[in-house]
Amino acid sequence: MRFQKGFLTFDSSFFHFSESIPDLSFAAVIREGFLRKRGGINADKALKKRFFRLVHYSGKYYFGYYARKYDRKELGVIIISGATCSPYSKKPKYFQIKTVAKMGMPARTYLIKAESIKHRDTWLEILKKHSGSFNSKFL
């Protein structure tokens, strides 16, 4: 049996619940722009150009990515609240976002590439500020 209460989806057949992603199309946009994201674990390692939008909704921060700039429905969403955002040491224009496992959702690491190191640093500063992993040494 499955039912939803607020943004939580309960599934009694597996005795767990996971956080549902709300409709972000009307959320307050903090920053948006094009970045490249590496495909998932089972996907090829090609970088795909995606339009990213950092939004605030109901007390949390979400980093949605879209196929095109004006798409309303995201291809995926990274929950930024509680995540760790840092430069990727092996490649200068890259950064990584490490999410934490919570409420039935597994932890995951996302590898993202910006146009330049300056562009990467701008995104990282904003993401760190809203993830709770802000470190003044980075600036």
Side-chain angles (χ1 to χ4, degrees), residues 51-65:
F51 187 76
F52 281 82
R53 190 173 287 135
L54 177 63
V55 299
H56 181 256
Y57 184 83
S58 191
K60 290 190 178 183
Y61 295 93
Y62 300 92
F63 198 38
Y65 51 96

Side-chain angles (χ1 to χ4, degrees), residues 24-44:
L24 301 177
S25 58
F26 297 106
V29 176
I30 297 167
R31 181 176 173 86
E32 59 185 12
F34 283 100
L35 296 164
R36 295 191 179 272
K37 181 183 122 4
R38 192 177 112 204
I41 291 174
N42 295 324
D44 58 18

Side-chain angles (χ1 to χ4, degrees), residues 31 41 56 63 65 71 77 81 101 108 113 123 137:
R31 181 176 173 86
I41 291 174
H56 181 256
F63 198 38
Y65 51 96
D71 287 354
V77 176
S81 300
R108 182 168 171 200
K113 182 182 179 188
W123 271 107
K137 286 188 214 174

Side-chain angles (χ1 to χ4, degrees), residues 11-12 28 40 96:
D11 188 340
S12 62
Q96 58 189 3

